[in-house]
Short mmCIF file of all heavy atoms in Angstrom, two decimals:
data_model
loop_
_atom_site.label_atom_id
_atom_site.label_comp_id
_atom_site.label_asym_id
_atom_site.label_seq_id
_atom_site.Cartn_x
_atom_site.Cartn_y
_atom_site.Cartn_z
N VAL A 227 31.86 -0.91 -10.24
CA VAL A 227 32.49 0.26 -9.72
C VAL A 227 31.50 1.45 -9.72
O VAL A 227 30.84 1.66 -10.75
CB VAL A 227 33.80 0.59 -10.52
CG1 VAL A 227 34.32 2.05 -10.06
CG2 VAL A 227 34.78 -0.37 -10.34
N GLU A 228 31.39 2.22 -8.56
CA GLU A 228 30.72 3.39 -8.59
C GLU A 228 31.73 4.51 -8.68
O GLU A 228 32.54 4.67 -7.83
CB GLU A 228 29.86 3.60 -7.39
CG GLU A 228 28.74 2.66 -7.17
CD GLU A 228 27.96 2.93 -5.91
OE1 GLU A 228 27.51 4.14 -5.77
OE2 GLU A 228 27.76 2.07 -5.15
N PRO A 229 31.85 5.32 -9.77
CA PRO A 229 32.74 6.47 -9.75
C PRO A 229 32.51 7.37 -8.64
O PRO A 229 31.49 7.47 -8.07
CB PRO A 229 32.42 7.11 -11.23
CG PRO A 229 31.72 6.09 -11.94
CD PRO A 229 30.89 5.29 -10.96
N ALA A 230 33.54 8.22 -8.35
CA ALA A 230 33.42 9.27 -7.33
C ALA A 230 32.16 10.10 -7.58
O ALA A 230 31.91 10.53 -8.72
CB ALA A 230 34.62 10.09 -7.25
N HIS A 231 31.37 10.22 -6.50
CA HIS A 231 30.07 11.00 -6.59
C HIS A 231 29.73 11.56 -5.29
O HIS A 231 30.30 11.05 -4.27
CB HIS A 231 29.03 10.13 -7.26
CG HIS A 231 28.67 8.94 -6.37
ND1 HIS A 231 29.37 7.84 -6.35
CD2 HIS A 231 27.73 8.67 -5.45
CE1 HIS A 231 28.94 6.83 -5.54
NE2 HIS A 231 27.82 7.45 -5.00
N LEU A 251 36.58 10.19 -0.28
CA LEU A 251 37.59 11.13 -0.75
C LEU A 251 37.56 12.40 -0.03
O LEU A 251 38.63 13.02 0.10
CB LEU A 251 37.45 11.38 -2.25
CG LEU A 251 37.42 10.12 -3.14
CD1 LEU A 251 37.23 10.48 -4.64
CD2 LEU A 251 38.64 9.17 -2.93
N VAL A 272 32.28 13.19 -1.07
CA VAL A 272 32.52 12.52 -2.38
C VAL A 272 33.16 11.11 -2.06
O VAL A 272 34.11 10.93 -1.21
CB VAL A 272 33.55 13.35 -3.19
CG1 VAL A 272 33.87 12.57 -4.48
CG2 VAL A 272 33.04 14.74 -3.46
N HIS A 273 32.51 10.11 -2.60
CA HIS A 273 32.98 8.76 -2.44
C HIS A 273 32.84 7.88 -3.64
O HIS A 273 32.17 8.11 -4.56
CB HIS A 273 32.09 8.15 -1.22
CG HIS A 273 30.63 8.22 -1.40
ND1 HIS A 273 29.89 9.38 -1.37
CD2 HIS A 273 29.67 7.18 -1.72
CE1 HIS A 273 28.67 9.16 -1.67
NE2 HIS A 273 28.49 7.90 -1.86
N ARG A 274 33.76 6.87 -3.66
CA ARG A 274 33.93 5.97 -4.78
C ARG A 274 33.86 4.62 -4.22
O ARG A 274 34.15 4.27 -2.99
CB ARG A 274 35.31 6.18 -5.45
CG ARG A 274 35.69 5.22 -6.50
CD ARG A 274 37.20 5.25 -6.91
NE ARG A 274 37.59 6.62 -7.27
CZ ARG A 274 38.64 7.24 -6.79
NH1 ARG A 274 39.42 6.65 -5.90
NH2 ARG A 274 39.03 8.45 -7.27
N VAL A 275 33.24 3.60 -5.06
CA VAL A 275 32.94 2.35 -4.43
C VAL A 275 33.48 1.15 -5.46
O VAL A 275 33.26 1.34 -6.59
CB VAL A 275 31.41 2.08 -4.15
CG1 VAL A 275 31.17 0.71 -3.53
CG2 VAL A 275 30.83 3.26 -3.34
N PHE A 294 25.47 13.18 -8.04
CA PHE A 294 26.32 14.12 -8.94
C PHE A 294 27.64 13.40 -9.00
O PHE A 294 28.44 13.25 -8.02
CB PHE A 294 26.36 15.47 -8.18
CG PHE A 294 25.07 16.11 -7.97
CD1 PHE A 294 24.41 15.95 -6.76
CD2 PHE A 294 24.58 16.91 -8.96
CE1 PHE A 294 23.15 16.46 -6.55
CE2 PHE A 294 23.26 17.53 -8.76
CZ PHE A 294 22.59 17.35 -7.67
N PHE A 295 28.10 13.17 -10.25
CA PHE A 295 29.41 12.42 -10.42
C PHE A 295 30.49 13.52 -10.44
O PHE A 295 30.42 14.56 -10.99
CB PHE A 295 29.32 11.66 -11.88
CG PHE A 295 28.40 10.52 -11.70
CD1 PHE A 295 27.26 10.51 -12.29
CD2 PHE A 295 28.89 9.35 -11.09
CE1 PHE A 295 26.43 9.41 -12.25
CE2 PHE A 295 28.12 8.22 -11.02
CZ PHE A 295 26.86 8.28 -11.59
N ASP A 296 31.62 13.01 -9.82
CA ASP A 296 32.78 13.91 -9.71
C ASP A 296 33.99 13.39 -10.54
O ASP A 296 35.08 13.93 -10.54
CB ASP A 296 33.25 14.02 -8.26
CG ASP A 296 32.18 14.64 -7.37
OD1 ASP A 296 32.09 15.85 -7.36
OD2 ASP A 296 31.43 13.98 -6.73
N GLU A 297 33.76 12.24 -11.16
CA GLU A 297 34.74 11.74 -12.02
C GLU A 297 34.16 10.73 -13.09
O GLU A 297 33.03 10.31 -12.83
CB GLU A 297 35.90 10.95 -11.32
CG GLU A 297 35.46 9.62 -10.69
CD GLU A 297 36.52 8.95 -9.89
OE1 GLU A 297 37.70 9.38 -9.92
OE2 GLU A 297 36.30 8.04 -9.27
N GLU A 298 34.83 10.49 -14.15
CA GLU A 298 34.36 9.51 -15.20
C GLU A 298 34.64 8.08 -14.65
O GLU A 298 35.52 7.82 -13.86
CB GLU A 298 35.05 9.71 -16.53
CG GLU A 298 34.82 11.19 -17.03
CD GLU A 298 33.34 11.31 -17.51
OE1 GLU A 298 32.70 10.28 -17.80
OE2 GLU A 298 32.88 12.50 -17.49
N MET A 299 34.01 7.16 -15.30
CA MET A 299 34.13 5.67 -14.86
C MET A 299 35.63 5.31 -15.18
O MET A 299 36.19 4.58 -14.24
CB MET A 299 33.18 4.85 -15.67
CG MET A 299 33.29 3.30 -15.40
SD MET A 299 32.87 2.90 -13.74
CE MET A 299 31.08 2.96 -13.83
N GLU A 300 36.17 5.62 -16.27
CA GLU A 300 37.57 5.11 -16.49
C GLU A 300 38.61 5.70 -15.52
O GLU A 300 39.46 4.99 -15.10
CB GLU A 300 37.94 5.45 -17.95
CG GLU A 300 37.30 4.71 -19.10
CD GLU A 300 37.40 3.14 -18.81
OE1 GLU A 300 38.53 2.79 -18.54
OE2 GLU A 300 36.46 2.43 -18.85
N ALA A 301 38.34 6.85 -15.13
CA ALA A 301 39.26 7.45 -14.10
C ALA A 301 39.10 6.77 -12.79
O ALA A 301 40.12 6.54 -12.12
CB ALA A 301 38.91 8.97 -13.97
N ALA A 302 37.90 6.39 -12.51
CA ALA A 302 37.60 5.65 -11.23
C ALA A 302 38.28 4.27 -11.22
O ALA A 302 39.07 3.85 -10.28
CB ALA A 302 36.12 5.43 -10.96
N LYS A 303 38.23 3.54 -12.34
CA LYS A 303 38.85 2.28 -12.54
C LYS A 303 40.42 2.38 -12.36
O LYS A 303 41.11 1.54 -11.78
CB LYS A 303 38.46 1.59 -13.75
CG LYS A 303 37.08 1.23 -13.80
CD LYS A 303 36.60 0.53 -15.19
CE LYS A 303 35.11 0.06 -15.13
NZ LYS A 303 34.81 -0.56 -16.37
N VAL A 304 40.97 3.41 -13.01
CA VAL A 304 42.40 3.61 -12.92
C VAL A 304 42.90 3.86 -11.55
O VAL A 304 43.84 3.29 -11.09
CB VAL A 304 42.88 4.79 -13.87
CG1 VAL A 304 44.32 5.17 -13.62
CG2 VAL A 304 42.71 4.53 -15.28
N ALA A 305 42.09 4.75 -10.79
CA ALA A 305 42.48 5.07 -9.48
C ALA A 305 42.34 3.85 -8.54
O ALA A 305 43.21 3.51 -7.69
CB ALA A 305 41.48 6.14 -8.90
N ILE A 306 41.36 2.89 -8.75
CA ILE A 306 41.19 1.76 -8.00
C ILE A 306 42.31 0.77 -8.31
O ILE A 306 42.89 0.06 -7.38
CB ILE A 306 39.81 1.13 -8.14
CG1 ILE A 306 38.74 2.01 -7.61
CG2 ILE A 306 39.82 -0.26 -7.61
CD1 ILE A 306 37.45 1.66 -7.85
#
Side-chain angles (χ1 to χ4, degrees):
V227 170
E228 293 183 55
H231 62 281
L251 305 180
V272 177
H273 52 292
R274 178 192 300 132
V275 187
F294 302 92
F295 289 103
D296 298 280
E297 68 180 354
E298 299 293 334
M299 177 65 77
E300 288 307 312
K303 291 180 177 179
V304 168
I306 291 172

